[in-house]
Amino acid sequence: MTQRQVVVALLVTQLIGTILLAIGQAMRDISSIVFSLSVVITFIIAGLLWAYWRGWEQAGKIDIIIVTIAVGIATPDTLVRPYQGLIVLVPMALAQILGGPRWVLGSTLGVLAILTVRAGPEAGYITAYTGDIRTIAIFAFIVLSMALNRIIADTAIRHATAQTQRAEEARARADAQAKTLQEQAETLQEQNRQQQQLLELVAQLETPAIMLEQGVLLAPIVGPIDDRRADSFVRRLLEVSSAQRAHLVILDIAGASNVDERAATLLGRAVQALRLIGCDVAISGISADLARTLVASGVSFNGIPTVRTPREAIALYQDLIADKQ
């Protein structure tokens, strides 16, 4: 139960108790001050219950004061001087729940003050609770135990509240970190996507494929020919040739900067791959200087038709088709 539920239950219990007390006293002696006091207290507690229900937190403190005064006044005379009665502990028990350690001590002093006044000068203002050192010790022990118990409860509540607050703060930090990590992951994903698009664009620019006419694809090679570019070049040509249903692929190496033995091997690999999917291949762009370099390096393109320009390759392809027909 929450503290608020406990206070409401306690006020409801007090209300029922005072109603029963008033009814019982009316059946015995309606002219007694106990009956009048119980009726008044019943209405007061009902008002405090309504006020607390509406959010007035001070209703609990007012209840302690009212009960302290009522117990001090209504305690029978026999329990003021000759005998002790446990009824005087009611305000302290109530203060332990509704108030705090100071309210426990305050209500104790209040009850003792009222009983002292009621004892009067004829008893030397000595009550059944202050006339014997043993009774005083027991009474003080009970009251201090109540106050200490409330201190322990308040400390536990503060610790629990602090731990709850720390847990909430830790959860908030964890949520913030998780959100930050998620945002960073999304940013990295977006960067990776953009980088992939950039790589694909670079690959397309490195290995362009131009459709010269129906079934004829021109693939100019610009720059150095290495293993990475060769793999990308072959993959790109195979995709475009298959998609465009090309019959002839013209590899133009006029812009290549390192046509050596290794480059020739890589070009030969590209030719083989294209032939496997049904494409004829021709190489164009071999200039006089490049031809001397190839001869000096011992590089040759055996079995691969070579032409000076892509136009000659197209004409050669058309002649081959005409001969087949």
Side-chain angles (χ1 to χ4, degrees), residues 237-256:
L237 279 182
L238 291 176
E239 292 175 356
V240 177
S241 299
S242 178
Q244 300 293 336
R245 298 181 180 276
H247 298 291
L248 172 63
V249 177
I250 304 171
L251 302 180
D252 187 82
I253 63 174

Side-chain angles (χ1 to χ4, degrees), residues 178-256:
K179 184 178 180 181
T180 301
L181 291 175
Q182 182 179 2
E183 292 175 351
Q184 291 176 350
E186 292 176 353
T187 301
L188 288 176
Q189 290 177 355
E190 179 63 21
Q191 290 176 350
N192 290 336
R193 186 185 64 81
Q194 293 177 356
Q195 186 177 13
Q196 185 62 32
Q197 290 178 346
L198 182 59
L199 291 175
E200 292 175 356
L201 177 61
V202 170
Q204 292 177 4
L205 294 176
E206 285 183 341
T207 56
I210 305 169
M211 184 64 69
L212 297 180
E213 61 177 63
Q214 185 65 32
V216 180
L217 194 66
L218 172 64
I221 301 175
V222 180
I225 302 174
D226 53 23
D227 290 343
R228 183 192 66 80
R229 287 198 64 196
D231 291 339
S232 175
F233 180 72
V234 172
R235 183 172 59 254
R236 167 84 173 151
L237 279 182
L238 291 176
E239 292 175 356
V240 177
S241 299
S242 178
Q244 300 293 336
R245 298 181 180 276
H247 298 291
L248 172 63
V249 177
I250 304 171
L251 302 180
D252 187 82
I253 63 174

Side-chain angles (χ1 to χ4, degrees), residues 118-183:
R118 287 185 59 188
E122 62 273 13
Y125 296 104
I126 301 299
T127 68
Y129 309 95
T130 57
D132 187 345
I133 188 65
R134 294 171 298 176
T135 303
I136 294 175
I138 295 173
F139 193 80
F141 175 77
I142 294 174
V143 171
L144 291 177
S145 296
M146 291 181 177
L148 182 60
N149 182 63
R150 180 55 191 260
I151 291 174
I152 294 174
D154 289 345
T155 302
I157 291 174
R158 284 196 298 270
H159 287 170
T161 303
Q163 290 178 353
T164 301
Q165 184 176 2
R166 286 195 294 269
E168 291 293 336
E169 292 174 353
R171 186 175 67 180
R173 288 194 298 269
D175 291 342
Q177 291 176 354
K179 184 178 180 181
T180 301
L181 291 175
Q182 182 179 2
E183 292 175 351

